[in-house]
Amino acid sequence: MALTFRGAVEQDVERIVEMLADDLLGKERERYAQPLPASYLEAFQAIDADPNNELIVAVDGTGRIIGVQQVTFTPHLTHQGSWRATIEGVRTDSTVRGQGIGGQLIRYAIGRAKERGCRLIQLTTDKQRPDALRFYEGLGFTATHEGMKMKLEATEL
């Protein structure tokens, strides 16, 4: 399927949240509602204002957003003071999963990382998503580290 990739705009946020909420884990942690919680627009504005963050949407031939990912570029003292890219929040519309859209999204992110001079690209995938792990391995990623997270108490949204 031929796709166009572009930076997300504020009008895309509702569609992005819809995709984030439309999976096993997302439906438990996202709040896709009308009106959309203000926290999503605030997060979008912070991402959009940061030159080291890109919220990228994949658009099909009809103009419909069918994929999204966030790529964050970070300078590090490790690896001889190089930059790395982190891919997060990768989702494709549930009606087109399995059609190669995710692979195109990730290859686009890899291209952006190369353009930005990154020497490393990283991502995490939830252990409850074994298919995602195989997907990323098929694209050349290797599970070289054990990742850890700590949830912090959120303020009332």
Side-chain angles (χ1 to χ4, degrees), residues 131-148:
D131 291 340
L133 180 61
R134 285 189 294 279
F135 166 75
Y136 292 122
E137 288 174 337
L139 290 167
F141 289 85
T142 56
T144 60
H145 292 68
E146 183 72 24
M148 301 179 80

Side-chain angles (χ1 to χ4, degrees), residues 1-6 56-61 66-69 71 87 90-92 96 98-112 121 135-136 138-139 141:
M1 176 182 298
L3 300 174
T4 302
F5 298 96
R6 64 169 173 79
I56 300 161
V57 293
V59 182
D60 70 10
I66 59 170
V68 65
Q69 66 187 342
V71 183
I87 302 172
V90 180
R91 292 292 189 287
T92 58
V96 294
Q99 297 183 30
I101 282 87
Q104 289 185 60
L105 272 165
I106 298 301
R107 284 188 287 280
Y108 183 84
I110 293 168
R112 288 294 300 133
I121 190 162
F135 166 75
Y136 292 122
L139 290 167
F141 289 85

Side-chain angles (χ1 to χ4, degrees), residues 142-157:
T142 56
T144 60
H145 292 68
E146 183 72 24
M148 301 179 80
K149 293 184 180 186
M150 177 189 291
K151 289 198 180 222
L152 303 175
E153 292 295 322
T155 58
E156 187 69 28
L157 296 178

Side-chain angles (χ1 to χ4, degrees), residues 74-93:
T74 311
H76 284 265
L77 288 177
T78 60
H79 293 270
Q80 301 176 33
S82 67
W83 283 73
R84 70 181 63 188
T86 304
I87 302 172
E88 298 183 55
V90 180
R91 292 292 189 287
T92 58
D93 184 277

Side-chain angles (χ1 to χ4, degrees), residues 15-93:
R15 174 69 179 128
I16 292 167
V17 173
E18 180 182 14
M19 286 187 298
L20 293 173
D22 185 26
D23 83 351
L24 182 66
L25 299 176
K27 66 181 167 188
E28 295 177 10
R29 63 184 176 210
E30 303 303 337
R31 285 196 322 168
Y32 178 62
Q34 301 295 329
L36 200 61
S39 57
Y40 288 111
L41 292 175
E42 292 165 3
F44 170 79
Q45 291 164 353
I47 293 165
D48 193 47
D50 183 345
N52 290 317
N53 267 290
E54 295 181 5
L55 188 61
I56 300 161
V57 293
V59 182
D60 70 10
T62 70
R64 184 168 187 248
I65 295 172
I66 59 170
V68 65
Q69 66 187 342
Q70 181 174 341
V71 183
T72 302
F73 303 98
T74 311
H76 284 265
L77 288 177
T78 60
H79 293 270
Q80 301 176 33
S82 67
W83 283 73
R84 70 181 63 188
T86 304
I87 302 172
E88 298 183 55
V90 180
R91 292 292 189 287
T92 58
D93 184 277

